[in-house]
Amino acid sequence: MPALSLDHYNIYCKDLEATVRFYERYVGLRNGDRPPFKFPGAWLYAGDKAILHLLSETGRDAHGSGAIDHIAINCSDIRGTIDQIKKDGVPFEAKKVPARPLQQVFVHDPDGVMIELNFWHEADVPELSDNMDPVSRSALADKAKVPA
């Protein structure tokens, strides 16, 4: 049984509306159609595919495994993305991957989930810093605050 592709990932969130706004504004996903489940949530789409399922923690006892370090999403327009992030005062880190035409922007969603935005084959931006190690990621997570 070979895997074909990643279908979606699921995040429990404390503030559903703020989390939807974050993924729409900084990741470029679109809040779309979701089955009429009996619990609050949202499905966020990249094109015609719901790649992120959000579940509100409101009234829930279960949380999740908490073992995921980060989620990576291919994006476009690194300059516009960084400009929006800076305008809103959201902490971020921009990195260049060695020996690859790839730049990455790291941000944290309202629940502290690290999101890696990947930009392939785009002009280098001046905000690039050295490769981020786990200690830097931890420091970025500590200062991550997203406007509501």
Side-chain angles (χ1 to χ4, degrees):
M1 169 169 69
L4 301 175
S5 69
L6 178 66
D7 188 77
H8 70 274
Y9 63 105
N10 186 88
I11 295 177
Y12 287 101
C13 58
K14 291 178 179 64
D15 185 332
L16 182 62
E17 290 180 22
T19 304
V20 167
R21 279 194 309 271
F22 172 88
Y23 283 96
E24 287 178 328
R25 187 167 186 92
Y26 304 115
V27 182
L29 298 179
R30 175 186 51 81
N31 190 8
D33 185 51
R34 177 179 179 261
F37 294 116
K38 294 181 181 189
F39 48 87
W43 281 14
L44 300 175
Y45 288 72
D48 61 357
K49 176 74 176 138
I51 66 166
L52 170 56
H53 295 181
L54 297 174
L55 290 176
S56 174
E57 286 187 340
T58 304
R60 293 189 60 87
D61 293 328
H63 188 58
S65 67
I68 301 294
D69 178 68
H70 67 276
I71 305 297
I73 301 171
N74 287 323
C75 299
S76 63
D77 188 18
I78 190 170
R79 178 74 272 143
T81 299
I82 289 175
D83 288 348
Q84 184 65 61
I85 289 169
K86 284 175 139 182
K87 177 182 173 190
D88 293 345
V90 174
F92 74 97
E93 187 81 27
K95 300 291 180 182
K96 175 87 170 159
V97 175
R100 299 286 187 276
L102 172 61
Q103 296 173 86
Q104 302 170 313
V105 174
F106 294 88
V107 293
H108 285 82
D109 80 2
D111 289 284
V113 176
M114 183 168 30
I115 305 300
E116 173 186 310
L117 306 175
N118 287 327
F119 300 88
W120 288 89
H121 304 283
E122 294 196 20
D124 285 356
V125 294
E127 291 87 353
L128 293 173
S129 56
D130 294 332
N131 288 321
M132 187 168 18
D133 56 43
V135 174
S136 299
R137 285 184 180 168
S138 178
L140 179 61
D142 290 343
K143 66 180 179 177
K145 289 191 172 87
V146 178

